[in-house]
Amino acid sequence: MKIVTIVGARPQFIKAAVVSRAIEEYNRDRRGGCMIEEVIVHTGQHFDENMSDIFFQEMSIPRPRYHLGIGGTSHGAMTGRMLERLEEVILREKPDAVMVYGDTNSTLAGALAAVKLHVPVAHVEAGLRSYNMRMPEEVNRILTDRISRWLFCPTAASVENLKNEGFCIQDGKRLFEHQPVVALVGDVMYDAALFYKKIARPSQEIAELIKKFPDGFYLATIHRAENTDESVRLQSILKALEAIAREIPVVLPLHPRTRQCLMVNHNQLEYVHQIAPVGYFDMITLLSHCRGVFTDSGGIQKEAYFFGKPCVTLREETEWVELVEHGFNILAGADYERILAAESRMRDKRIDTLIDLYGSGNAGRKIVQVLLEGVYEHTAY
Ligand code: UDP
């Protein structure tokens, strides 16, 4: 069985690392079952050393066979170029399935290229919705789900979203053979956190930074287009973080897009401690030592929970609604007052991480199992 895995952006490397490891484990111990060959394609959406290479090294992700080098352009141009190049790759590799992750332009381009060649698509992190169509990610995920053969859902809420959109699921099973498979497998990012926290060693820089703040610090990240592209929102978030940082240090690993916006707007941060984007091991270390998290990232909202930290989300809505329902996450948008109020509500709040919200840390293995059961069903060349 051959699977083409398409990745391009930071969170996808982390998610794909989990499934690649599950594939390797399966191949080692397959007891007569068919071998799985995985061909990784890197579209090039994120390409810097600290946004891409470091994840491949730390997480032992197999080297991509193809590197398309497509990034840094508008959504339409990027998706269009990827579509063209991915079609060539799929035609050459003739895989039994194409695997895509999350909600980036690489996800949509990969799914679209595959489905048009009648290659079935497996979507990892299916069914998530923000119900905000202005988010490029929302468009990517809705379209990808619609054309996928396997929809691997991380949460009960994501399964419900698909049901509401007309996917027929009864007791977790499809009603008819021709329907897509919707499988609640848990969150691969939870698998990643559980596995890598056992082996993660921080860089010297991060180890020293943590020592500098013996009374703890907050961790913040900002990168969503809705915040970076609207200077009023960005200014308001930064003003709030600056106010908080006067009392409790705030560490901000700066996404390249945010750094660019700060330069354009001539923003100077006096109190917030900015650092370059860090690798996953450093991120895990920061998450496990911080007092709480301020973020507009999807992945980091959950990681805050995995590491038992309260989270203030700098958005108006979230796909990870279960965290808000349990009071582990507060939506504060980009509003100065709301962010400060959320900080005081969340300060030193205890988080119960024993509630089973994201599966049991074996989502990767479950995905491989489901694919093995059905991958040959609909292969067409
Ligand atoms: N991350 C990282 N270093 C950083 C910032 C984020 O390793 O400097 C990791 C983070 O721990 C999470 C993933 O990148 O696993 C989230 O990526 P991002 O916030 O870019 O995307 P999103 O989850 O919003 O799609």
Side-chain angles (χ1 to χ4, degrees), residues 56-97:
F56 282 82
Q57 286 153 22
E58 286 185 341
M59 305 180 93
S60 307
I61 306 170
R63 273 174 75 86
R65 188 173 298 173
Y66 299 88
H67 204 304
L68 307 184
I70 303 167
T73 54
S74 65
H75 283 281
M78 195 193 298
T79 313
R81 281 180 208 164
M82 284 177 185
L83 187 58
E84 193 174 8
R85 296 290 309 282
L86 288 169
E87 184 176 63
E88 288 166 16
V89 171
I90 295 168
L91 279 170
R92 179 180 314 172
E93 293 292 342
K94 297 197 180 336
D96 298 295

Side-chain angles (χ1 to χ4, degrees), residues 9-12 14-15 46 50-51 54-55 58-59 102-104 125 137 141 189 192 219-221 223-224 252-255 275-284 286-287 295-303 315 320:
R10 177 170 64 187
Q12 291 169 328
I14 294 162
K15 292 165 198 168
H46 285 161
N50 54 7
M51 292 294 285
I54 189 163
F55 296 94
E58 286 185 341
M59 305 180 93
D103 52 23
T104 70
E125 218 178 60
E137 294 90 345
R141 30 173 118 95
M189 292 192 82
L219 177 64
T221 74
H223 78 289
R224 284 254 156 270
L252 175 70
L254 259 188
H255 191 279
I275 55 175
V278 294
Y280 189 62
F281 287 1
D282 277 347
M283 197 62 185
I284 286 184
L286 289 168
L287 280 159
T295 191
D296 58 8
S297 156
I300 297 170
Q301 289 175 57
K302 285 174 297 164
E303 286 169 342
R315 289 176 52 196
W320 308 102

